[in-house]
Amino acid sequence: MLELAILGFLYDTPLHGYELRKRITALTGHVRPVAESTLYPAIKRLEKAGLLERATEPGAVAAPRHVLTLTEDGESELRRRLAGPVRRDITDENRWFTVLAFLRHLPDPAAQAAVLRRRLAFLETPASFFYEGDRPLRAEELDDPFRRGVLTVARATTQAELAWLRATIDSLEGAAR
């Protein structure tokens, strides 16, 4: 997901590493903070693969800055990853938010809707954090107020996301016609 976030933010605008790190942290940092020791090797991998370029610009006050820019191949790679996210990118909420943050860069509304449909199908599958055998438990079936709280909050969040997904898919499919 780090590489997707790098590609996505650089698709928006060229950035230097520090600003890129701040933006990624704002998107995912509450769950997965981005350390320099993780970010800069990922940048080097993407640069080596020809997906981004580095240019040196004079610093305003300090040393020169390295500004990162997405290449045409980088734009293509971003669109490829957005059009075909792996299952975990659909099912893991934090990874999903990263996909969602950049899905607008996929230019085809039908392709955008196809990605949203995968998330919709995942959310419509009965599931729970707690089970009795193979049967998912509902909040109303639990005596533990804390576990009941987990399920109550998760249900409300899921219902809101389902409503948003359905409305957005309808809108995208209408635009594609």
Side-chain angles (χ1 to χ4, degrees), residues 138-159:
R138 296 184 347 251
E140 299 77 18
E141 298 176 288
L142 296 171
D143 293 329
D144 180 333
F146 308 106
R147 285 188 171 197
R148 190 169 50 248
V150 167
L151 293 181
T152 300
V153 170
R155 179 188 308 154
T157 311
T158 298
Q159 288 172 344

Side-chain angles (χ1 to χ4, degrees), residues 157-168:
T157 311
T158 298
Q159 288 172 344
E161 187 176 355
L162 285 168
W164 177 83
L165 283 166
R166 290 178 182 126
T168 304

